[in-house]
Amino acid sequence: MGRVILDNVVKRYRDVVAVDHVSLTVEEGEFVALVGPSGCGKTTTLNLIAGLLELSEGNIYIGERLVNDLDPKDRDIAMVFQNYALYPNKTVYKNLAFPLQMRKTPKDQIDQRVRETARLLSIEPLLERRPKELSGGQQQRVALGRALVRNPQVFLMDEPLSNLDAKLRVQMRAELKRFHQDINATIVYVTHDQLEAVTMADKMAVMSGGLLQQYDAPDIVYNQPVNTFVAGFVGSPAMNLLSATVEVDGDTTWLRNGNDWASALDAKRGAIAQSASTDAVIAGLRHNAIHLSPTETPGAIPVRIYTVEPTGDLTFVHGYLGDLLIVASVPPGTQMHPDDIVWATFDLDQMHLFDGVTQMALASEA
Amino acid sequence: MSAITGSQPTTEPPAPEERGPGLAGRIAALPGDIARHWSDYLYILPALGIMLVVIAYPIFYTVRLSFYSTPANLAMDDKIWIGLDNYRRILTSDSFRSVTRNTLEWTVFSTFFAYVIGLGAALVIQREFPGRSIVRGVLLIPWVISYVSAAYIWKWLYHSDYGLINDTLIRLNIVDQNINILDNIHRALPALIIANIWKEFPFAMIMLLAGLQGVPDQLHRAAKVDGAGTWARFWHITMPQLKSVSVVTILLLMLTNLNSFTLVWVMTGGGPAGSTDIWITQIYQLAFGRTRFGVASAYSVILFLIMMALGYFYVKALTRGDAEREGA
Amino acid sequence: MSSNYERTAGSRKRLDAWGIAGWVFLLLLLVFTVVPLAWMLSTALKTQLGALQFPPRWIPTNPTTENFRMLLDPNDDIGRRFLRYMLNSLWVSTATTVVGVLVAVPAAYAFSRFRFPGRNSLFYGVLLRNMFPAVIFLIPLFILMRNLRLVNSYGSLIITYLTFGLPLSIWLLKGFYDNIPVQLEQAARIDGASRFQAFIRIVMPLSAPGIVATAIYSFILAWNEYVYALTFITDDRKLTVPVGLQRFFSEYVANWPGLMAAAFLMSIPVVVMFLVLQKYFVRALTEGAIKQ
Ligand SMILES: Nc1ncnc2c1ncn2[C@@H]1O[C@H](COP(=O)(O)OP(=O)(O)OP(=O)(O)O)[C@@H](O)[C@H]1O
Ligand SMILES: [Mg+2]
């Protein structure tokens, strides 16, 4: 197993910069999830690591080697493709054997490795079938098997679970995680499903528009998003981002949005808010940082309910705060109905503050 | 269907460094672009080389020759520049008009019937029935055998004294004694067209059959659920799906027919009295019968221009799918 | 070849008017197709005298295989010539096919996968060949071949036939390659294959129906070609069958049974080949050429 280093990696297509000066290090044995919205450059990054695309700028190291000019076959990596890319004219057995054949492994060893891998993934009964005779989940396992059958330094996976149904996805998620722990593999895993990232990865790299936005452990990314993009992207439902102006009134610092709402900050947050480059800030509040109550309390802000979504564990309430649609959660069974007016208070401890101009997080809330 | 979707269409994307999409920028970067892709050209070089020798040079040569009067002994060094005289001579001659009319009749009727019969055959053949692939195979035989064989078979069928067609016509009481078919100026061309349809409809059939297999089952099921009858489904689902295949097929048929030499040449040689002479047999006669290469070349150029117009639609029809996919 | 909406429940049992019309049409079409072919065979089994009868008979009164024997007997003068024509045709067609595939495969692959400048124009340029009348090229090529002293050589025919087959071959194969996901090659390269190996081991097998179809197409085209062979080859020993057939029987004008037997024999190779491989051909057209 080896580590992967991306050093100021750039990839340009004809008129787009698909990957823009991305630098990150994946340590040996780490499971890194690459997340971001569609078209942000995840696949491109992965293909650059794999050597399927040529770099425009920058360096990539795998293990101790600079691999910029190496062919994919010489990089000692394995890859699981989004659509599996199983060889349709080969049986499962031959699909698994192919990487070994290409490396001139002796026949008996091939057979042994293939059967071992098949056992590991419980696809032994399928060995003589062809890919189109397999279900999605089985194909996925074979794709994984084709990567596992060798012992590469790094595994690259491009949305390997995206074609599966929800139940299978949860199951495969657990299997993948277990597999990572068992063989302590270095894995770079592309997904646009951040739940996958949060549940499986040691670290999460959030990309947007070809730029690396944040690279950290999932809970840090979740709890300390570096900018409004990460804040809005990570977590479901998305964080509520309320723009406001900072007003200082004697000792108290207020956040105000026109006539819609105002909220007083404590001293610490007041100072943070005042450190913004202008008086424009953005307050970030996750659904659980907004408390809704049917009765008016001092300082509470009226919210007109738009819709109510019970999900079992929590009930999400969408409502208009001024003309911004926000989402908050309430315990299940709470009686709230569309068009009711309810009263919102903000949990200051869980409030994130961002600069209204640069969109960057203000100070750290740790 | 297409497994190559948006995000990863190529293994070898172009990577021109730092430049906007402007045309000037593109042109400026072209040499670099070409240099970067030099190895790609190796793949198509053999194909292009062959095509160039056998196409580009001949076109050039034909156009040049069309402005000359050439000596009958093919000593090309003695040719004389006569400008547009060859063209003038052709376009004002009586034969040009009749030959053009024959060509149009030949092309239009052959194409139309070959397409319609081919479509009918494709629709029937795509049903599942025992012996289907045998029937399909048998129907394809006329297309596979050579035009020369087909020409002799039909020439023999049409034989005025011993032909099967005459016999059949008499048995059916359509005529009461043997008639001339290929030797009659009114019957020869229709007779040739029938033979040509026999030879060509399988091509239309196989193209349309392939097209039909691309029509998703789901659509037909959905339409059935919506209460559409056979005719409605044919008209609203099958035909629209076959549109692009049909365009390509019809164009290819027209091009084949305009190019069709062998059947006419072997069966009638353009006769009797020029009643089956079409452009292509006319050109051949001018060039190799009377060794008037200059006039024949001018004739070719005229034909060439007409073909270019058709070819424009042909390439458009062929590449429409590609252009849509790439958006460029 | 599975998809077929007619198989959905119900429609099969109920024979509606359209269904009956379809069967009748098919029957008539089969008659139209088969009668000339059967007549060829029937005539080929007649004696010269037996063919010149009116009304003609379907079943020959004195059936004879003499015509076939004559054509296939290497000791017979006619047989020797006919067999030589067949061999000439076989050689020209095979060479055209092999070279055609070797040239078309890389070109189609490049047009499908690479994005080099001028790719589209070059592709259309290749396709354009299909619409030029053969005769346009006949005159200049004849003069060219004369100047190159290639008249009466197989090379002149092979290179010409190549250009007939290439446009469609390249177009068809490109369609195939377009439909093979790039990811398969990428996977192969990650699995340790070089680009070339990925092509040979993964892409080639998947495009096999296309290659088979292109090969049949080139072969049949070359086997059946007439005008160029008529013009470029004057040496009787080098004639290909279609022209040979004509030259040869213009010497024996009225020998219809012989002519039909020869036409029958020369059709056998291509018909058999095509019937055996027709499923590839249909598949190639479906998968390669006709994209929705
Ligand atoms: N061959 C190409 N030519 C030009 N632009 C491309 C090419 N491939 C990708 N791009 C562009 O590069 C950007 C990044 O693409 P990429 O495939 O890496 O996105 P992604 O993050 O994987 O998205 P998704 O989640 O949809 O798979 C996109 O804007 C895309 O349009
Ligand atoms: Mg992607």
Side-chain angles (χ1 to χ4, degrees):
Chain A
M1 294 298 149
R3 61 177 187 171
V4 179
I5 300 172
L6 273 66
D7 173 21
N8 270 306
V9 164
V10 178
K11 177 66 194 179
R12 288 190 197 88
Y13 289 121
R14 205 163 273 276
D15 34 27
V16 279
V17 185
V19 175
D20 195 355
H21 293 94
V22 166
S23 296
L24 60 82
T25 301
V26 181
E27 292 297 343
E28 194 167 325
E30 245 175 10
F31 191 130
V32 168
L34 213 53
V35 300
S38 192
C40 70
K42 306 180 296 285
T43 299
T44 307
T45 307
L46 207 66
N47 286 347
L48 288 171
I49 299 175
L52 295 170
L53 292 175
E54 257 172 61
L55 286 169
S56 302
E57 274 176 41
N59 291 315
I60 295 180
Y61 300 85
I62 294 175
E64 300 309 315
R65 283 188 307 170
L66 178 66
V67 296
N68 289 12
D69 296 323
L70 285 185
D71 236 32
K73 68 181 164 67
D74 302 321
R75 294 195 180 194
D76 200 10
I77 46 170
M79 187 156 169
V80 181
F81 288 82
Q82 175 163 3
N83 52 11
Y84 313 138
L86 298 178
Y87 308 125
N89 51 338
K90 295 187 190 293
T91 59
V92 169
Y93 184 95
K94 293 211 171 111
N95 263 280
L96 295 182
F98 186 75
L100 300 172
Q101 277 173 351
M102 285 288 112
R103 293 190 157 68
K104 310 229 154 46
T105 316
K107 260 213 164 70
D108 49 332
Q109 263 180 47
I110 293 183
D111 190 66
Q112 186 200 337
R113 285 292 300 150
V114 167
R115 290 189 189 285
E116 239 167 63
T117 312
R119 197 169 324 118
L120 183 73
L121 293 165
S122 347
I123 49 175
E124 277 174 300
L126 309 177
L127 281 176
E128 291 316 312
R129 295 215 205 152
R130 277 167 208 277
K132 67 166 180 276
E133 299 159 353
L134 302 177
S135 73
Q138 291 167 336
Q139 289 184 25
Q140 209 281 327
R141 273 170 227 242
V142 177
L144 199 58
R146 200 173 57 188
L148 288 182
V149 78
R150 289 190 287 131
N151 227 331
Q153 295 207 45
V154 181
F155 290 92
L156 305 174
M157 306 191 182
D158 191 357
E159 312 207 21
L161 306 186
S162 61
N163 288 346
L164 304 182
D165 65 46
K167 192 171 158 218
L168 206 53
R169 191 150 45 193
V170 173
Q171 184 193 335
M172 287 306 300
R173 214 156 67 195
E175 281 182 27
L176 261 181
K177 187 164 185 173
R178 180 63 206 233
F179 151 73
H180 170 240
Q181 284 157 357
D182 283 352
I183 70 167
N184 194 28
T186 310
I187 298 180
V188 182
Y189 184 100
V190 166
T191 175
H192 61 244
D193 175 352
Q194 27 140 337
L195 191 63
E196 262 173 33
V198 171
T199 49
M200 292 194 287
D202 300 319
K203 274 192 187 160
M204 213 167 144
V206 185
M207 289 185 72
S208 168
L211 291 162
L212 182 61
Q213 304 288 335
Q214 189 167 7
Y215 180 47
D216 237 321
D219 60 321
I220 297 183
V221 174
Y222 186 83
N223 291 317
Q224 299 169 31
V226 294
N227 57 26
T228 50
F229 172 79
V230 177
F233 183 76
V234 178
S236 174
M239 184 185 281
N240 300 295
L241 294 170
L242 317 174
S243 31
T245 44
V246 181
E247 284 177 10
V248 184
D249 174 16
D251 289 344
T252 331
T253 308
W254 288 82
L255 289 185
R256 180 182 295 280
N257 178 292
N259 297 322
D260 289 340
W261 58 270
S263 174
L265 298 179
D266 56 28
K268 180 177 147 216
R269 257 155 245 278
I272 293 172
Q274 286 182 38
S275 71
S277 56
T278 65
D279 64 354
V281 295
I282 293 167
L285 292 156
R286 295 206 181 272
H287 59 90
N288 55 355
I290 300 179
H291 300 298
L292 296 182
S293 130
T295 50
E296 187 170 358
T297 49
I301 302 159
V303 168
R304 190 166 52 80
I305 296 179
Y306 178 66
T307 178
V308 180
E309 283 178 356
T311 65
D313 304 340
L314 278 178
T315 295
F316 292 112
V317 178
H318 300 258
Y320 282 102
L321 193 164
D323 46 17
L324 182 73
L325 195 59
I326 60 160
V327 57
S329 56
V330 296
T334 313
Q335 288 302 309
M336 290 196 176
H337 304 285
D339 292 328
D340 285 358
I341 302 287
V342 292
W343 299 88
T345 46
F346 298 155
D347 180 348
L348 288 185
D349 288 338
Q350 294 193 56
M351 178 186 277
H352 302 266
L353 285 169
F354 302 94
D355 190 302
V357 177
T358 65
Q359 308 281 315
M360 300 304 286
L362 290 169
S364 87
E365 288 107 300
Chain B
M1 239 347 264
S2 161
I4 303 169
T5 44
S7 66
Q8 272 298 96
T10 78
T11 51
E12 185 108 316
E17 255 85 272
E18 275 135 342
R19 93 191 134 79
L23 185 64
R26 290 233 159 137
I27 292 172
L30 202 57
D33 244 15
I34 291 175
R36 207 182 332 275
H37 288 277
W38 70 270
S39 65
D40 296 357
Y41 292 99
L42 292 182
Y43 289 74
I44 54 170
L45 204 63
L48 283 184
I50 292 171
M51 304 298 275
L52 271 184
V53 173
V54 188
I55 294 170
Y57 168 78
I59 292 176
F60 164 78
Y61 196 89
T62 309
V63 172
R64 205 164 80 101
L65 213 56
S66 72
F67 299 113
Y68 285 90
S69 169
T70 54
N73 61 3
L74 286 185
M76 284 302 160
D77 295 338
D78 300 340
K79 59 184 184 287
I80 304 158
W81 173 267
I82 52 165
L84 290 172
D85 264 15
N86 285 331
Y87 291 94
R88 202 169 306 134
R89 210 168 305 160
I90 294 166
L91 293 172
T92 54
S93 71
D94 291 339
S95 71
F96 180 73
R97 213 167 315 138
S98 70
V99 168
T100 300
R101 199 186 49 238
N102 289 342
T103 309
L104 288 182
E105 276 179 34
W106 162 263
T107 306
V108 169
F109 286 113
S110 300
T111 304
F112 176 79
F113 286 108
Y115 174 77
V116 171
I117 295 176
L119 177 62
L123 287 171
V124 183
I125 282 287
Q126 69 140 2
R127 303 177 183 180
E128 205 70 37
F129 59 89
R132 170 169 171 251
S133 68
I134 295 173
V135 170
R136 184 177 68 187
V138 168
L139 290 180
L140 281 169
I141 292 177
W143 183 57
V144 179
I145 69 172
S146 65
Y147 273 101
V148 174
S149 303
Y152 280 118
I153 293 171
W154 281 90
K155 198 173 176 177
W156 175 229
L157 284 167
Y158 284 137
H159 200 280
S160 351
D161 299 324
Y162 309 109
L164 183 68
I165 306 267
N166 258 318
D167 176 49
T168 313
L169 291 177
I170 289 173
R171 276 171 208 270
L172 295 174
N173 282 323
I174 295 172
V175 296
D176 43 47
Q177 59 172 31
N178 281 4
I179 53 167
N180 287 334
I181 299 174
L182 293 178
D183 298 326
N184 179 300
I185 55 168
H186 299 297
R187 299 187 192 121
L189 190 58
L192 286 186
I193 291 174
I194 291 175
N196 195 35
I197 294 168
W198 179 79
K199 182 81 179 69
E200 278 183 346
F201 87 84
F203 168 72
M205 176 183 86
I206 200 169
M207 289 289 284
L208 293 164
L209 203 56
L212 281 172
Q213 292 186 328
V215 181
D217 279 8
Q218 276 182 11
L219 276 179
H220 281 281
R221 298 224 182 85
K224 269 190 185 168
V225 172
D226 292 342
T230 309
W231 178 253
R233 273 183 283 134
F234 170 72
W235 201 243
H236 293 289
I237 296 172
T238 311
M239 279 317 276
Q241 295 276 344
L242 287 183
K243 203 174 128 201
S244 63
V245 191
S246 296
V247 172
V248 172
T249 307
I250 289 174
L251 280 169
L252 279 174
L253 282 174
M254 289 178 71
L255 291 167
T256 314
N257 288 327
L258 285 172
N259 272 317
S260 185
F261 171 82
T262 312
L263 207 60
V264 179
W265 189 252
V266 174
M267 284 176 77
T268 63
S275 63
T276 57
D277 223 359
I278 58 177
W279 282 333
I280 220 129
T281 50
Q282 181 78 10
I283 292 173
Y284 188 85
Q285 257 160 357
L286 282 173
F288 296 94
R290 294 190 244 153
T291 54
R292 291 170 61 193
F293 278 67
V295 184
S297 297
Y299 227 123
S300 299
V301 172
I302 296 172
L303 187 45
F304 176 74
L305 293 176
I306 297 168
M307 293 279 180
M308 282 290 275
L310 269 180
Y312 171 76
F313 293 108
Y314 162 69
V315 168
K316 257 182 82 161
L318 277 192
T319 52
R320 211 181 45 186
D322 289 2
E324 274 165 13
R325 245 191 329 209
E326 280 158 30
Chain C
M1 305 288 96
S2 64
S3 76
N4 201 300
Y5 68 94
E6 291 296 340
R7 252 182 326 184
T8 41
S11 68
R12 202 165 179 193
K13 284 164 230 146
R14 206 187 65 242
L15 258 185
D16 56 15
W18 287 108
I20 295 168
W23 295 122
V24 171
F25 174 76
L26 183 62
L27 194 71
L28 291 176
L29 198 58
L30 274 171
V31 170
F32 178 55
T33 304
V34 171
V35 163
L37 296 171
W39 190 239
M40 161 175 70
L41 190 58
S42 159
T43 307
L45 293 171
K46 289 175 181 170
T47 59
Q48 197 137 270
L49 214 60
L52 301 182
Q53 274 185 355
F54 199 87
R57 287 165 187 273
W58 271 103
I59 310 289
T61 9
N62 298 309
T64 171
T65 53
E66 172 60 22
N67 297 307
F68 293 109
R69 198 201 54 73
M70 171 184 80
L71 287 166
L72 295 175
D73 182 358
N75 298 319
D76 189 297
D77 181 49
I78 294 174
R80 198 163 45 240
R81 284 171 69 188
F82 182 74
L83 288 175
R84 182 168 333 112
Y85 299 154
M86 290 283 267
L87 276 180
N88 293 346
S89 269
L90 185 68
W91 160 236
V92 170
S93 309
T94 310
T96 306
T97 306
V98 171
V99 179
V101 167
L102 289 181
V103 170
V105 163
Y109 184 74
F111 280 126
S112 167
R113 288 289 197 259
F114 304 154
R115 294 293 176 269
F116 46 88
R119 164 179 163 273
N120 282 338
S121 333
L122 289 173
F123 183 58
Y124 300 164
V126 170
L127 290 186
L128 274 176
R129 164 61 191 87
N130 261 12
M131 57 188 227
F132 296 144
V135 167
I136 285 189
F137 301 105
L138 196 54
I139 297 166
L141 280 181
F142 176 69
I143 295 170
L144 178 75
M145 296 302 172
R146 247 172 50 114
N147 294 342
L148 295 176
R149 309 210 177 285
L150 282 176
V151 170
N152 275 325
S153 77
Y154 297 132
S156 66
L157 290 184
I158 292 170
I159 191 169
T160 312
Y161 295 169
L162 275 177
T163 65
F164 294 154
L166 277 180
L168 205 101
S169 303
I170 290 176
W171 175 57
L172 209 87
L173 283 174
K174 176 180 177 289
F176 255 87
Y177 294 133
D178 284 347
N179 282 339
I180 298 175
V182 186
Q183 279 84 353
L184 287 184
E185 278 162 81
Q186 297 184 333
R189 293 179 64 200
I190 284 172
D191 285 345
S194 67
R195 193 165 239 183
F196 183 70
Q197 281 173 315
F199 178 76
I200 295 293
R201 308 210 30 169
I202 304 300
V203 179
M204 276 286 267
L206 289 174
S207 60
I211 293 174
V212 172
T214 358
I216 308 172
Y217 178 79
S218 306
F219 189 93
I220 294 178
L221 222 56
W223 182 268
N224 289 342
E225 204 284 333
Y226 173 76
V227 197
Y228 281 86
L230 178 67
T231 315
F232 288 174
I233 308 288
T234 50
D235 181 348
D236 185 74
R237 284 165 311 164
K238 293 192 168 164
L239 289 182
T240 54
V241 203
V243 182
L245 193 68
Q246 194 218 9
R247 289 266 167 100
F248 178 62
F249 282 99
S250 53
E251 294 167 20
Y252 309 82
V253 181
N255 187 355
W256 287 102
L259 195 52
M260 290 298 115
F264 181 80
L265 287 178
M266 80 165 279
S267 302
I268 286 181
V270 280
V271 171
V272 167
M273 186 164 78
F274 192 81
L275 291 190
V276 170
L277 299 173
Q278 64 159 323
K279 71 168 192 216
Y280 290 104
F281 205 82
V282 178
R283 237 183 94 188
L285 281 177
T286 315
E287 292 174 19
I290 297 169
K291 289 161 280 190
Q292 295 301 315

